[in-house]
Amino acid sequence: MHANATHSPNRRSTVLWVLLLAATVFTWAVGENGAGGPAIAALLLGVAALKGAAVILDFMAVGRAPLLWKALTLGWLALVCALIALAYWKGMP
């Protein structure tokens, strides 16, 4: 039983890692396609935010940390994404 408990987090991290790779390939492919506009930019920023949250919560183990650390790290991510969105929106013609 102890072996299963040890392998479970490793399998979860591996599956999450593969999903993060797939999301990265997706965003790269959309960017290489040349498609643009606010909807595409919002989609790509949303995927990046989800990837960042997954890294923070799982790989940085903040998901098991006290609420303050979750709020600080996810709040920082939200702030950065909001500033990127604002910069994109302000730079639109």
Side-chain angles (χ1 to χ4, degrees):
M1 204 184 269
H2 183 5
N4 288 341
T6 304
H7 284 285
S8 180
N10 290 337
R11 179 169 168 76
R12 174 183 158 81
S13 293
T14 302
V15 169
L16 182 57
W17 178 71
V18 170
L19 290 173
L20 289 170
L21 285 175
T24 300
V25 170
F26 169 75
T27 56
W28 172 81
V30 170
E32 282 293 308
N33 186 26
I40 298 296
L43 172 69
L44 296 180
L45 187 57
V47 171
L50 289 175
K51 287 172 51 182
V55 168
I56 288 169
L57 294 173
D58 195 76
F59 292 107
M60 293 173 57
V62 175
R64 296 183 302 271
L67 181 60
L68 176 62
W69 286 108
K70 289 178 197 174
L72 285 173
T73 53
L74 293 174
W76 170 83
L77 178 63
L79 176 64
V80 169
C81 289
L83 290 174
I84 291 171
L86 179 64
Y88 178 82
W89 178 66
K90 288 295 225 176
M92 287 178 33

